[in-house]
Amino acid sequence: MTPTLVPHHPARDWAEIQERMLVPLYEAVYDRLAVGVRSRVLGLGCGSGLALLMAAARGASVTGVDRDHARVELARERLPEGVAVGGRVPADAGPYDVVTAFEATDALGAELAVITRSAQSGAAVVLASAGPPERCAAEPVLRVGARLADRSPAGRPDLDGLVARAGLRPEGSGRVACPFGYADGSSAVRGLLSTGAFDEAVRATDLAQVEKEIEEALAPYVRADGTVWMPNVFRYVIARVP
């Protein structure tokens, strides 16, 4: 692959390239919970708003929260007028009957316990993350970031532990195929950089070096026509507010 020459704009690359890779996960969860016109959805870590947009298209009332200011601004651009999106949950919003964290981390615990107090009894809480490393082709590529940052690779968040610590009632779980597919190597590099998994590596080395190493790690997934294809499985758990 030739080096990527496109300027690095992480939030926009996330919105235009990477976020759509999780559409099968969003659809599976919304179908399972029958999200529709009577649903009030709170998206934690809503990114640039694609999952919220999909819920709104089903008729749901949606609210989004994300700490990435640039992604929040993009979400505001694409979501219907009047949808609340920001860095914190609006004080006057809720009660919610669906709370989602499609990119859950172990750091979510305390925040989750507080936020679910705004949810009504019986509300569904959905936590999701990439599945077992052996089921995720992107795993070896993402490990490049940890190696360049001279740290151990981040483990998968303990979704079931988060449910227990937040005092929620487990209801079920599922796995969804979310392949990462890109038109070319440049798009793949930009998309993967936008995930944040390489931010420490960029600070520790430089962007050009990180791009080069990502391209090398992607080589096994480049097809004859130049497209990049990495099969992945994501896992989600569903719990209820007591």
Side-chain angles (χ1 to χ4, degrees):
M1 289 185 294
T2 57
T4 178
L5 301 176
V6 179
H8 185 48
H9 298 299
R12 192 160 294 279
D13 287 342
W14 172 263
E16 296 178 354
I17 301 173
Q18 192 65 30
E19 191 175 26
R20 62 184 174 82
M21 309 301 176
L22 300 182
V23 164
L25 172 64
Y26 305 155
E27 289 181 335
V29 168
Y30 291 159
D31 285 346
R32 183 161 175 174
L33 296 177
V35 169
V37 293
R38 297 183 179 180
S39 302
R40 295 180 62 86
V41 178
L42 170 63
L44 305 180
C46 68
S48 49
L50 180 56
L52 295 180
L53 187 63
M54 291 171 61
R58 291 169 172 250
S61 171
V62 300
T63 301
V65 180
D66 201 291
R67 295 177 180 175
D68 187 318
H69 178 73
R71 290 189 184 185
V72 165
E73 289 303 310
L74 290 174
R76 287 174 176 157
E77 290 177 11
R78 76 201 308 189
L79 287 165
E81 186 176 352
V83 174
V85 184
R88 62 181 63 185
V89 180
D92 58 349
Y96 307 103
D97 50 33
V98 177
V99 179
T100 63
F102 287 119
E103 294 182 81
T105 66
D106 285 323
L108 181 65
E111 183 180 12
L112 186 64
V114 172
I115 287 173
T116 51
R117 296 193 190 111
S118 299
Q120 62 190 33
S121 178
V125 178
V126 182
L127 308 178
S129 72
E134 64 273 13
R135 301 286 303 278
C136 293
E139 182 71 16
V141 182
L142 295 174
R143 282 203 297 265
V144 168
R147 175 172 56 79
L148 292 175
D150 195 24
R151 61 168 174 77
S152 300
R156 295 288 189 267
D158 180 6
L159 302 181
D160 302 291
L162 282 169
V163 166
R165 290 191 293 276
L168 303 171
R169 185 177 73 249
E171 180 174 280
S173 64
R175 292 186 178 183
V176 183
C178 292
F180 290 2
Y182 307 93
D184 51 39
S186 175
S187 295
V189 171
R190 289 168 54 203
L192 291 166
L193 281 170
S194 76
T195 65
F198 300 91
D199 290 356
E200 288 183 55
V202 171
R203 290 191 292 268
T205 56
D206 63 76
L207 179 58
Q209 178 65 25
V210 174
E211 288 182 338
K212 176 178 178 296
E213 301 239 8
I214 293 175
E215 289 166 355
E216 292 175 354
L218 284 171
Y221 310 107
V222 180
R223 301 192 290 192
D225 61 358
T227 59
V228 180
W229 186 257
M230 293 185 286
N232 300 293
V233 169
F234 276 64
R235 178 175 182 257
Y236 67 87
V237 299
I238 297 175
R240 296 281 175 177
V241 176

